[in-house]
Amino acid sequence: MSKYLLTLALAMALPGIASAGTAKPAPRVFPVAAAPVLEDHYPVHVTQWPGGVTSLADVTYSTIPGYRPMIVDIYMPPKSAGPKPLVLYIHGGGWVAGHTRHSGALADFPAALARLAGEGFVVASLEYRLAAEAPFPAQVQDARAALRFLKGNATRFGIDPTRTGIWGGSAGGHLSALTALSCGDASLDAPGTKAAPGSECVQAAAIWYGVFDFAALSASRPGGQDGAAGKLLGCNGPCTAEKFAAASPTTYIDAKDPPFLLIHGTEDKTVPVAQSHLAEEKLKAAGVPVESIYIDGVDHSFIGKTPAQTREATLRAMNATFDFFHARLDKKSAAK
């Protein structure tokens, strides 16, 4: 074997030995902190939307030991004079499915949220722990944590924390209603939570086909059973009246609650329209401002018998919801 081939063979066999005349690479240098770093430093994904709206994807609002980081998508209007009202959206999915970027039959829900941001709101879409990950009240704890995170970073996101709305459909409607109605009730916070009183409160709530009373919902099911509620509440066998009451928004209704918008299809076979009728009755009895829209002939998620009926119902609900938040959270309205 020639000297050249012998040198090449040794270099290949012992990669730590540089061949003659090859400079040793400089040591690699990386930033090093004084303690373990747990924050996510992956660059935030920024998207530009029509009208100068900017969104941030997968922003971590809470890190709970034993669980994945909890995230929100945040949509911000163009920067202009003064902070903007906040609207937190909570998705549905029977408490066991769903994500931040879908709602009913809307073909492009992120674009719809960006449209709301373009009308002068900071909009956040929430991801929360599902029932298979953690039983109730983990889900409402997450909603409260997100509101506190967003308000605590009001300057960063351009938020007016005194003008906050919440919006959700189905399971998300339940969680939105419960969050809005339980303002100031620390029993729904995680043990050890340290937060300013009222930091989880909102000033307006829009609820689409939401669950308000679990006992009434269970009674409407064949045999009095509701598998989705049982999974959420962690019941072994039939849920107790106490468990139903603790998770039911109607339990928390009082005169201090914020204005509500209720929208429900009259033919809803998943969450009976009676749930919104019951909520409307109890809210009015407590003196809480409430508007209600019952859309004839449509099922859950505003699904009609034809695509045209689904489209009409969905657009009616969206326009009413946008108008409601303008009426309740725009600066002149909020000052009344």
Side-chain angles (χ1 to χ4, degrees), residues 84-106:
K84 305 301 182 187
L86 167 69
V87 173
L88 179 68
Y89 177 80
I90 305 182
H91 70 77
W95 306 282
V96 297
H99 54 79
T100 59
R101 298 164 192 165
H102 82 103
S103 180
L106 285 157

Side-chain angles (χ1 to χ4, degrees), residues 162-199:
T162 67
R163 294 184 289 149
T164 300
I166 197 164
W167 166 28
S170 197
H174 161 254
L175 296 173
S176 296
L178 184 56
T179 301
L181 294 169
S182 63
C183 167
D185 190 331
S187 69
L188 290 173
D189 276 327
T193 297
K194 296 179 181 179
S199 57

Side-chain angles (χ1 to χ4, degrees), residues 282-298:
K282 289 184 176 294
L283 288 165
K284 286 181 175 178
V288 178
V290 56
E291 304 169 41
S292 56
I293 298 173
Y294 301 108
I295 304 178
D296 288 336
V298 298

Side-chain angles (χ1 to χ4, degrees), residues 26-55:
R28 296 167 181 83
V29 178
F30 305 94
V32 178
V37 177
L38 301 180
E39 294 84 2
D40 181 357
H41 285 280
Y42 195 85
V44 174
H45 179 66
V46 180
T47 301
Q48 301 294 332
W49 301 87
V53 171
T54 302
S55 67

Side-chain angles (χ1 to χ4, degrees), residues 164-166 176-177 180-181 202-207 254-262 283 287-291 324-325 327-329 333-334 336:
T164 300
I166 197 164
S176 296
L181 294 169
V202 302
Q203 286 71 53
I207 312 300
D254 62 39
K256 300 186 296 296
D257 293 325
F260 267 70
L261 170 66
L262 307 175
L283 288 165
V288 178
V290 56
E291 304 169 41
F324 171 75
F325 285 130
R328 295 298 179 177
L329 299 178
S333 300
K336 291 180 181 179

Side-chain angles (χ1 to χ4, degrees), residues 210 212 216 220 264-266 268 271-280 294:
F212 283 89
S220 72
H264 215 129
T266 62
D268 196 321
V271 177
V273 68
Q275 286 284 307
S276 287
H277 287 310
L278 177 63
E280 180 183 12
Y294 301 108

